[in-house]
Amino acid sequence: MTVMTDPARYATVATPPGPFTVVVAADAEGRDVVLASGWTADLGQLLPVIHPTLRPTATEQVDDLPVLDVVGKFFAGDVTVIDDVVVRQRSGPFLTEAWEVLRTVPAGRPDTYAEFAARCGRPAAVRAAANACARNAAALFVPCHRVLGSGGGMGGFRWGTPVKRWLLDHEAEHARVDA
């Protein structure tokens, strides 16, 4: 188990689809890990989605975080740069594994909820797969925006379907064809 130290730090950066805030904490080795992120400038929208055992007891707003360099590169067109960002989320076995599986959905090639459930090894668990997307605290870095409704529709997204559409279009434009 990775233990986070307090206080967590957070910063907000402007992105094309809107303000994006990242909450990070240092793990036992002193590395920054993402606890939550999303298209909001309101920290109060992010803290409740962090699992209680990981939720910081104190936060500090900072002007910059190293992970924001990754965010900048993503929006500049390097849509795979987010793949190596360390994220910490906690839940039951299915959700925890599903969040890892989400990180394997290639940029520019979204899955449907049914395909995502199959990718998770549970093809009948479409609702559970959708729940994994809905409960994801680390938007962008755990790319739940890459999962669409089974009929090809947008499905839901905590940060709104216009943000999801923008991300999907951006990734389709910049994804490597051979990826």
Side-chain angles (χ1 to χ4, degrees), residues 59-71:
T59 57
E60 174 187 1
Q61 185 172 13
V62 296
D63 292 332
D64 194 26
L65 294 168
V67 72
L68 294 181
D69 293 339
V70 172
V71 173

Side-chain angles (χ1 to χ4, degrees), residues 1-5 9 25-33 86 88:
M1 178 168 83
T2 303
V3 177
M4 304 298 167
T5 60
R9 293 167 292 130
D27 67 8
E29 290 81 41
R31 298 174 303 172
D32 278 351
V33 297
V86 180
R88 291 288 180 264

Side-chain angles (χ1 to χ4, degrees), residues 2-158:
T2 303
V3 177
M4 304 298 167
T5 60
D6 285 330
R9 293 167 292 130
Y10 70 99
T12 303
V13 63
T15 70
F20 184 75
T21 299
V22 181
V23 180
V24 302
D27 67 8
E29 290 81 41
R31 298 174 303 172
D32 278 351
V33 297
V34 172
L35 300 179
S37 54
W39 281 269
T40 180
D42 180 3
L43 180 65
Q45 289 186 311
L46 292 173
L47 292 178
V49 299
I50 300 171
H51 191 274
T53 63
L54 298 173
R55 193 173 300 142
T57 57
T59 57
E60 174 187 1
Q61 185 172 13
V62 296
D63 292 332
D64 194 26
L65 294 168
V67 72
L68 294 181
D69 293 339
V70 172
V71 173
K73 289 175 184 174
F74 174 87
F75 284 103
D78 185 354
V79 296
T80 61
V81 72
I82 61 173
D83 296 347
D84 296 324
V85 172
V86 180
V87 172
R88 291 288 180 264
Q89 297 192 84
R90 189 168 292 145
S91 190
F94 178 77
L95 287 180
T96 301
E97 182 177 338
W99 291 325
E100 288 302 316
V101 172
L102 269 171
R103 298 191 87 180
T104 70
V105 177
R109 295 188 302 194
D111 275 353
T112 64
Y113 290 113
E115 291 166 338
F116 174 52
R119 191 185 287 263
C120 291
R122 294 181 55 192
V126 176
R127 285 189 182 173
N131 187 44
C133 293
R135 293 192 47 200
N136 173 31
L140 185 62
F141 308 108
V142 178
C144 58
H145 63 274
R146 294 181 186 161
V147 182
L148 302 172
S150 294
M154 290 297 288
F157 189 56
R158 178 187 314 271

